[in-house]
């Protein structure tokens, strides 16, 4: 089978336009830094600290009304995001920690905020039924449901509604009900959904029909990160990016030369700054997954750069007497085919992830998309021109000394 090859005989004068490409990079970095300083990053709960609650609704949630309701509580910055498809009716509610607020065990701990969020979102009808002593089956945990069933079974036996010989297992019934609720997306829409569940006997169904109701909303998960943990994560994330760049500098220095390592790291800084600038411009959430994406970009970019450097070194050994700039230019042209095919494959995967990955992966896939494009550009149009400019400076210095 014939292998796919592109630009195998390329002869672009990349080095002849090196100042143009470097100028483009300088302008792109300046714009990125401008957005980073003027707009800043939209730190997620991971870094800011705060509370994150996922809530499922039976009906279509009124997002703007929910936002106004939560903002009126004054518990922190409110961010509401839909999860999944519109028909899934699920919201991710983030409450950013207010400066000076106390954390777990204090006045504004995770439990306090979560409880206030749910209380504020709970419809008046649900609140009235709870006040009347009804049990909300859509909000109950397995433990709470088991405890409630045990108490109602005891009352039923005492009153004679339930036979003393009836074999009932509230724990098994509670676990089966919660598992069935999770399998239905976290919320029951009808009491008929309880029929046929293991352990849910006719007596238990009667108890549930009499004393429970199905709320209009159901919490799916809770998450809380304190401000100190957020600051700690920022420091660790910064050190992860800085440390990886230093490690790469040493690796390229040992494998090639020190200036080659500097050129490679400058290209990486270029990629990271542009990716973060794009995040600042779009205000996509900066979370731990985005940090992972930045580290992935660093790894991808340096791999591409090392491939180009390898070809330059190989050609410099073969063509010792030829002009340095011409050898670098020829080396870049020789790696064009490999770079384009690799980049095309990577972009196919990243674009698919961006288009179909959903809300949870939006910032991650966007960062990868921008970073991989920047990485492919910098390995050719930033790192290699730096080598040529350094060689020019070095030759000029040698001539002056001579």
């Amino acid at each position: 089978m014939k292998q796919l090859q592109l630009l195998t005989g390329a002869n672009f004068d990349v080095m002849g336009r090196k100042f143009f490409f470097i100028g483009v990079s300088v302008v792109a970095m300046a714009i990125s830094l401008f957005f980073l300083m003027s707009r800043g990053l939209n730190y997620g709960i991971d870094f800011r600290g705060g509370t994150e609650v996922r809530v499922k609704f039976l009906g279509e949630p009124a997002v703007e009304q929910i936002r106004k309701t939560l903002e009126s509580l004054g518990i922190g910055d409110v961010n509401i995001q839909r999860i999944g498809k519109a028909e899934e009716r699920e919201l991710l509610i983030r409450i950013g920690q207010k400066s000076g607020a106390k954390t777990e065990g204090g006045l504004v701990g995770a439990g306090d905020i979560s409880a206030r969020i749910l209380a504020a979102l709970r419809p008046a009808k649900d609140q009235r039924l709870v006040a009347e002593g009804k049990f909300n089956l859509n909000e109950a945990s397995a433990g709470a449901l088991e405890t409630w069933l045990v108490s109602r079974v005891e009352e039923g036996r005492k009153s004679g509604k339930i036979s003393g010989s009836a074999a009932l297992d509230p724990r098994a019934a509670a676990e089966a009900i919660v598992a069935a609720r999770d399998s239905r997306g976290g919320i029951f829409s009808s009491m008929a959904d309880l029929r046929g569940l293991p352990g849910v006997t006719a007596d238990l169904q009667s108890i549930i029909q009499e004393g429970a109701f199905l709320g209009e909303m159901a919490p799916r998960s809770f998450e809380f990160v304190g401000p100190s943990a957020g600051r700690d994560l920022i420091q660790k994330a910064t050190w992860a990016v800085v440390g990886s760049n230093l490690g790469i500098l040493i690796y390229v220095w040992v494998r090639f030369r020190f200036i080659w390592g500097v050129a490679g790291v400058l290209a990486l800084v270029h990629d990271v700054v542009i990716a973060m600038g794009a995040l600042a411009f779009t205000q996509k959430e900066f979370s731990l997954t985005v940090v992972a994406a930045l580290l992935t970009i660093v790894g991808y970019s340096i791999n591409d750069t090392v491939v180009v450097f390898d070809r330059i070194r190989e050609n410099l050994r073969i063509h010792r007497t030829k002009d340095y700039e011409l050898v670098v230019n020829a080396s870049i042209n020789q790696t064009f085919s490999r770079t384009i095919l690799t980049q095309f494959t990577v972009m196919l995967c990243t674009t698919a992830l961006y288009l179909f990955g959903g809300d949870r992966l939006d910032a991650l896939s966007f960062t990868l998309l921008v970073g991989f494009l920047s990485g492919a550009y910098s390995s050719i149009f930033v790192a290699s021109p730096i080598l040529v400019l350094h060689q020019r400076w070095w030759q000029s210095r040698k001539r002056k000394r001579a």
Side-chain angles (χ1 to χ4, degrees), residues 115-308:
R116 292 178 69 179
I117 291 172
L118 293 180
L121 297 182
R122 196 172 290 124
K125 176 190 167 189
D126 289 4
Q127 295 183 36
R128 178 175 55 78
L129 290 172
V130 170
E132 292 173 358
K134 297 285 186 179
F135 189 79
N136 190 342
L137 208 59
N138 274 336
E139 288 193 28
S141 64
L145 179 56
E146 179 189 349
T147 302
W148 181 78
L149 285 174
V150 168
S151 66
R152 299 306 296 254
V153 167
E154 288 178 356
E155 289 178 11
R157 291 188 192 281
K158 288 178 182 176
S159 63
K161 290 183 178 179
I162 300 176
S163 168
S165 59
L168 301 175
D169 187 347
R171 172 175 292 184
E175 290 176 350
I177 291 171
V178 171
R181 190 181 65 194
D182 289 342
S183 69
R184 287 168 171 76
I187 194 165
F188 287 125
S189 58
S190 168
M191 286 293 184
D193 294 338
L194 303 179
R195 292 174 188 164
L197 295 179
V200 185
T201 64
D203 287 332
L204 290 180
Q205 282 192 42
S206 175
I207 288 173
I208 294 171
Q209 291 279 2
E210 182 182 338
F213 73 100
L214 300 178
E216 296 293 315
M217 46 157 276
R220 297 282 285 143
S221 66
F222 301 94
E223 192 173 334
F224 174 77
V225 178
S228 57
R231 286 192 293 272
D232 187 48
L233 283 173
I234 290 176
Q235 291 177 356
K236 287 179 178 176
T238 304
W239 278 114
V241 176
V242 172
S244 62
N245 277 275
L246 285 175
I248 287 168
L249 172 64
I250 295 170
Y251 164 71
V252 180
W253 179 10
V254 171
R255 183 167 176 180
F256 298 95
R257 291 171 55 192
F258 178 70
I259 185 59
W260 295 46
V262 172
V265 168
L266 286 176
L268 297 184
V269 172
H270 166 275
D271 302 334
V272 171
V273 168
I274 287 179
M276 293 179 71
L279 287 168
F281 173 71
T282 58
Q283 286 295 289
K284 291 186 182 293
E285 186 178 271
F286 188 83
S287 62
L288 282 177
T289 55
V290 172
V291 174
L294 291 175
L295 293 174
T296 305
I297 291 166
V298 167
Y300 172 82
S301 180
I302 195 61
N303 180 61
D304 213 28
T305 304
V306 164
V307 169
V308 178

Side-chain angles (χ1 to χ4, degrees), residues 313-365:
R313 181 176 60 178
E314 183 182 329
N315 285 334
L316 284 174
R317 286 173 178 169
I318 298 172
H319 308 287
R320 294 176 183 276
T321 58
K322 287 191 175 180
D323 181 73
Y324 190 92
E325 185 169 329
L326 288 177
V327 174
V328 172
N329 196 69
S331 304
I332 290 173
N333 278 285
Q334 290 168 11
T335 56
F336 257 136
S337 177
R338 180 262 180 201
T339 302
I340 289 175
L341 288 175
T342 304
Q343 185 67 18
F344 176 71
T345 308
V346 170
M347 294 309 295
L348 274 181
C349 302
T350 313
T351 304
L353 187 67
Y354 180 67
L355 293 176
F356 308 112
D359 297 333
R360 300 288 282 183
L361 297 177
D362 180 61
L364 167 77
S365 53

Side-chain angles (χ1 to χ4, degrees), residues 64-80:
E64 285 310 311
Q65 182 58 42
I66 290 173
R67 188 191 310 280
K68 289 178 183 175
T69 301
L70 295 178
E71 286 176 346
S72 68
L73 298 178
I75 53 179
D77 298 331
V78 178
N79 182 284
I80 300 178

Side-chain angles (χ1 to χ4, degrees), residues 369-385:
L369 203 60
V370 175
F372 286 160
L373 280 173
S374 175
Y377 176 87
S378 67
S379 63
I380 296 174
F381 302 110
V382 176
S384 301

